[in-house]
Amino acid sequence: MLDDDAALRLHGYQPELARRMGGFGNFAISFSVICILAGGMTLFGYGLNTGGPAVMLWGWVGIGFMTLILGMCLAEVTSAYPTSGGLYYMAHRLGGPRWAWVTGWLNLLGLLGAIAGIDYGCALFVGAFANLQWGLEPTPESTMLIFAGILLLHGTLNTLGVRLVTVLNSISVWWQLAGVALIVGALTLAPGERQNPDFVFTHFNNGTGFDNPVYVAALGCLLAAYTFCGYDASSHLSEETKGAQIAAPKGIVRAIAWSWAAGFILLAGLLFAIEDYAGTLGTSTGVPPAQIFIDVLGTGMAKGLLLVVIVAQLFCGNAETAAASRMVYAFSRDGALPFSSTWRRVSRRTSTPIPAVWLSVGIALLLALPSLYSPTAYAAVTAINVIGITPAYVIPVYLRLRAGDSFQPGPWHLGAWSRPLGWVSVVYVAVLTVVFCLPQASPITVQSFNYAGVTLGAVLLLAWLMWITKGRRSYTVPALGSEAETMALSEGVV
């Protein structure tokens, strides 16, 4: 295991970013981005409508388990290639520039879609709080204004340096865990009747308009799959992490495992507490968990718990903005984006890629604009996140499998489990990607159409056009480091 900066130079890059993040901070950013109080809460109503409690809980168990396997495989490759470029850099070294190009654009789509999904979901919860506090009726226009304000906040915070981002992420971990304990504890201890285990673990509800229960159950897994996204943040922040060759892969795996356990407790607690299924789905607040809080605890306590959730979602969006901006910075550093010379600039005062931060939040705003006109647009944005970023996760894993013994693992690796777990991950992601490109509601109209597949196709087409017109000439990663370092890499020293 080499010194952090020596390891980075081995991959051809000179250190530019401030390495001020420890192992806990690296774990915290992925845990903050996964954020069960964001994904699990914002898509709670979607889950109730698309499969109901049975799919929500068992889907969480199954998707969480498969995500842990995929995360372990990705962590192994991250240990060997701890750079801000993350997935696309791994793909380049293992498969060449074309693989890297596709991976980079998919990863970028997923990260920017995640900012849009997280912050728009937070705006929905802010609207629900405003409805309870001041009687303001949430509208698409008011939600969009709140969303824009949240993006502005996150852009500003991320220009102030990685030290502040690290502090906020560390607070986020304890806020989320305490928030889950508070919500589940309050709902459990409050007086009144509760749903029985048979309802929570077996009740199936289908409000999609489709007749096939298997199809509906597959669609319902979007709740879990969307929540379990963003753990590549540990990889993207590796150039700012101490001991990154071990801290970054550990950060990925631990973030998934803790989120898996805490998320199950949260979902079960909410489902046991439902008093009126139809009333929860049709709540005037626009946020079904808020209606559960009101029914069980009253308006006053509901407002307090909503604030707990909103703060957690703000932490989540801020962490996702940090991860996305590092991806934009790294991709621009290698000449892959239009106007790369602008987006790769790093502030001398804070050692932060400030232009990349503002580009990230600006594109997130554009991605969410269809929510002004389409009631299913938010679900499409979340699906964009899943089908953009999840294939990007598995491409380096597939290329590592294809490389065979020529792949030199880093100090954190899976040993003999690497190949079988890797192939399980490849099959899982292939199935998941197909499912989330399928229609999510029937009848299929302009308003209910799932635009995620169209968006994915458009991004791949754009990536191909940019590759043949500019990318194959402008995109390049640097040569590996010194001869001694390259020899050390080939001998498996790092």
Side-chain angles (χ1 to χ4, degrees), residues 66 202 278 284 387 398:
M66 297 305 299
T202 66
S284 62
I387 67 171
Y398 165 73

Side-chain angles (χ1 to χ4, degrees), residues 79-91:
S79 180
Y81 303 102
T83 70
S84 293
L87 312 180
Y88 88 83
Y89 180 79
M90 303 172 198

Side-chain angles (χ1 to χ4, degrees), residues 124-462:
L124 291 172
F125 272 74
V126 172
F129 178 83
N131 177 260
L132 293 178
Q133 182 67 28
W134 300 292
L136 300 176
E137 194 70 26
T139 66
E141 291 77 15
S142 64
T143 302
M144 188 59 64
L145 286 175
I146 297 169
F147 170 62
I150 294 171
L151 288 176
L152 180 62
L153 171 65
H154 287 154
T156 302
L157 290 174
N158 271 274
T159 62
L160 300 178
V162 73
R163 191 184 300 276
L164 175 61
V165 172
T166 302
V167 170
L168 292 175
N169 290 333
S170 299
I171 296 172
S172 172
V173 172
W174 303 112
W175 186 276
Q176 284 194 61
L177 294 176
V180 170
L182 178 62
I183 291 169
V184 175
L187 293 174
T188 303
L189 297 175
E193 294 185 4
R194 296 291 176 269
Q195 297 291 343
N196 57 51
D198 183 64
F199 169 83
V200 171
F201 291 100
T202 66
H203 180 70
F204 182 84
N205 182 67
N206 180 11
T208 64
F210 294 109
D211 296 327
N212 190 320
V214 175
Y215 182 79
V216 175
L219 293 178
C221 288
L222 175 60
L223 182 152
Y226 167 63
T227 306
F228 284 114
C229 278
Y231 46 87
D232 59 316
S234 290
S235 176
H236 292 299
L237 273 291
S238 58
E239 288 185 32
E240 295 159 87
T241 301
K242 301 171 185 175
Q245 298 159 82
I246 291 178
K250 281 186 175 180
I252 291 172
V253 175
R254 288 173 176 172
I256 296 170
W258 277 95
S259 298
W260 189 22
F264 182 85
I265 295 171
L266 176 65
L267 288 176
L270 288 167
L271 291 170
F272 271 109
I274 292 176
E275 293 188 355
D276 179 358
Y277 203 100
T280 300
L281 265 175
T283 175
S284 62
T285 66
V287 176
Q291 191 62 49
I292 296 175
F293 299 158
I294 294 168
D295 291 342
V296 177
L297 302 167
T299 303
M301 188 67 176
K303 288 189 286 187
L305 293 183
L306 275 177
L307 285 177
V308 170
V309 175
I310 288 168
V311 172
Q313 292 173 342
L314 289 172
F315 281 133
C316 176
N318 192 64
E320 183 62 42
T321 301
S325 64
R326 271 45 174 196
M327 170 61 194
V328 170
Y329 156 76
F331 218 25
S332 300
R333 179 174 62 181
D334 293 332
L337 295 181
F339 311 107
S340 286
S341 60
T342 297
W343 314 126
R344 64 162 295 170
R345 291 177 186 167
V346 176
S347 166
R348 293 183 180 180
R349 183 175 62 86
T350 63
S351 298
T352 300
I354 292 177
V357 169
W358 290 114
L359 179 65
S360 300
V361 297
I363 294 179
L365 178 63
L366 295 177
L367 285 176
L369 283 179
S371 296
L372 285 170
Y373 314 104
S374 171
T376 60
Y378 179 65
V381 168
T382 57
I384 286 170
N385 172 214
V386 174
I387 67 171
I389 210 167
T390 309
Y393 288 160
V394 85
I395 290 175
V397 174
Y398 165 73
L399 294 174
R400 177 261 175 276
L401 293 170
R402 197 179 70 164
D405 293 338
S406 64
F407 170 73
Q408 297 298 328
W412 194 100
H413 57 84
L414 297 174
W417 287 99
S418 180
R419 293 189 67 81
L421 293 182
W423 284 115
V424 169
S425 299
V426 170
V427 173
Y428 162 68
V429 172
V431 173
L432 197 70
T433 302
V434 172
V435 168
F436 295 134
C437 288
L438 299 174
Q440 296 175 341
S442 179
I444 301 171
T445 65
V446 173
Q447 287 73 31
S448 66
F449 186 73
N450 181 5
Y451 292 95
V454 175
T455 304
L456 176 62
V459 169
L460 290 175
L461 177 61
L462 176 63

